Amino acid sequence: MPDEFADLLSGARMSFTVQSKKPINESGEKDYVGMTMKVSTEDSDLVEYRLIDDYVYIRSDAAALGEALGAPVPSARDLPPEAGAFKKALEGEWVKIDAKKMEETTAELEAESGFEPSPEPTLDARTQKELLEAVRSTLAREVDFKTSDTEDDSEHIIATAPFRTLITELLGEIRPLAEKLPPGAELPTDKDLKEAPNAEVTADFTLKNGELTEVYVDLAELAENAKVKELGLQVRLSEGRTPTAPADATELDIEDMLGGFGSAMMSEEDFGEEDF
C-alpha cells in the first residue's frame, strides 16, 4: 500500500446506510430499495455511492484518489467535448448509471467473448449452522469477557484474546468444513498462521438498551513493529437517513463506459504500468 494511501485512510470515515422493505436480518436482495456509502476525510468527500431504485449514483474526488494511489488521473480541462459525463465525473459532480442496462450490456459482452461467469457461491443451511457453532465455541473457549456499566446507562463488554491463538483455534474448527465452502475460499495454512502476531487484542463493545451501538478495536495491536502507538477502528451503529437520488446527476452511457471512450481513459498512456 503506498504511504500516501495509508495516510489518506488513517483519518478516513466511512458511512453506510441501507433501506429495506423488511427488517434487515430478514431481507433478501430484492427487498433492498436504497443504499448509500460515503468515504470522507477532513479535506473532502473521497467517494460517494448511492443505489436508488434502478440507478447507481457516483461522485468522487478523482484528483485526491489518483494522487493517493500514485496514479494521477487526467484533468477534466484536457478532455474533449465528447467526454460528456466522464468530464463531469472528473470534476467531482454526480453521474448516474442505469443498473439494469449495465447488467444487460455486461452480459452481452461476456456472451460475445465466450466468458461464462461462475455460479454465485452459496452455503447450505447446515454448513452455515456448523460454521456459526464453530465460531461460538472458539470465542467461548479462547476469549476473556468483562462487563462494566457507564453513567449514561450503556453497557461495555471488553473482549480480549491473543490474536494468533484465537485465529489458529478458529481455523482448526473450520478446516473440517473446508470442502463445503464456496470455491476460492482458501484457508490460511499453519505456516501462514505462525507469522501472525500473538499480541493481546481487545475489542470494546458498547450496548444501550440491549442493542449494539459501537465497537472499538486498536489495530496497532495487530502489528508487532507498528510505528504508531494507536490506530483505532471505530464502528457505530444507528438509524440511517433515507437514501435519496441527487437531482443534478448526469447519465453516464454504459457503452461509452465499458468500451470506446472508457477504455481510452484507462490506457497505459494515462496511468502508466506501476504495480501497487
Side-chain angles (χ1 to χ4, degrees):
M1 181 185 294
D3 290 345
E4 295 83 359
F5 193 60
D7 289 339
L8 194 70
L9 288 181
S10 66
R13 174 191 294 262
M14 184 182 81
S15 60
F16 178 76
T17 294
V18 59
Q19 182 183 16
S20 174
K21 302 174 185 175
K22 300 179 180 179
I24 299 300
N25 62 343
E26 299 176 8
S27 298
E29 184 178 351
K30 295 181 179 180
D31 298 317
Y32 297 115
V33 294
M35 296 184 186
T36 67
M37 188 274 289
K38 181 166 67 173
V39 180
S40 306
T41 65
E42 293 182 354
D43 299 324
S44 68
D45 292 337
L46 291 178
V47 61
E48 185 169 1
Y49 162 97
R50 299 182 190 179
L51 175 59
I52 313 293
D53 297 325
D54 295 331
Y55 275 90
V56 173
Y57 299 84
I58 303 172
R59 69 170 176 175
S60 67
D61 186 339
L65 287 172
E67 183 178 351
L69 291 170
V73 299
S75 169
R77 296 190 300 271
D78 298 331
L79 298 182
E82 59 267 25
F86 276 107
K87 191 168 186 177
K88 296 283 187 181
L90 290 178
E91 291 173 339
E93 298 187 28
W94 282 105
V95 295
K96 65 179 181 179
I97 303 167
D98 187 323
K100 286 188 175 180
K101 186 176 180 181
M102 180 171 62
E103 186 177 340
E104 293 170 357
T105 303
T106 302
E108 291 174 1
L109 292 175
E110 290 175 347
E112 291 174 3
S113 65
F115 174 77
E116 295 184 6
S118 302
E120 290 283 337
T122 58
L123 282 176
D124 60 78
R126 181 176 178 179
T127 303
Q128 291 182 40
K129 186 176 181 180
E130 291 175 338
L131 285 172
L132 183 58
E133 182 56 37
V135 173
R136 283 176 174 169
S137 62
T138 303
L139 293 180
R141 187 174 63 249
E142 302 296 336
V143 180
D144 179 36
F145 293 95
K146 295 182 180 179
T147 62
S148 63
D149 297 323
T150 61
E151 295 180 357
D152 61 355
D153 295 328
S154 62
E155 179 185 8
H156 281 273
I157 298 178
I158 311 298
T160 305
F163 181 72
R164 187 195 308 147
T165 301
L166 177 61
I167 296 301
T168 300
E169 291 295 318
L170 178 58
L171 290 175
E173 295 280 353
I174 294 176
R175 287 191 198 284
L177 305 173
E179 294 183 356
K180 300 179 181 180
L181 299 179
E186 297 183 7
L187 301 177
T189 64
D190 291 337
K191 182 180 179 181
D192 294 331
L193 295 175
K194 288 180 180 179
E195 299 176 1
N198 205 34
E200 292 277 334
V201 178
T202 299
D204 185 345
F205 299 87
T206 302
L207 295 87
K208 195 161 188 177
N209 298 324
E211 294 185 355
L212 181 65
T213 60
E214 187 174 307
V215 181
Y216 178 85
V217 180
D218 182 4
L219 298 180
E221 296 175 352
L222 295 176
E224 295 176 326
N225 300 311
K227 294 182 180 180
V228 294
K229 294 182 179 180
E230 183 178 2
L231 180 59
L233 173 64
Q234 191 171 43
V235 181
R236 292 193 178 102
L237 295 89
S238 63
E239 292 187 7
R241 299 178 179 178
T242 302
T244 58
D248 55 350
T250 302
E251 185 158 2
L252 186 62
D253 186 86
I254 302 300
E255 294 181 359
D256 284 348
M257 184 179 71
L258 296 179
F261 193 81
S263 299
M265 288 285 291
M266 297 297 293
S267 68
E268 293 180 1
E269 179 180 348
D270 291 328
F271 292 95
E273 298 180 344
E274 295 182 67
D275 295 324
F276 303 104

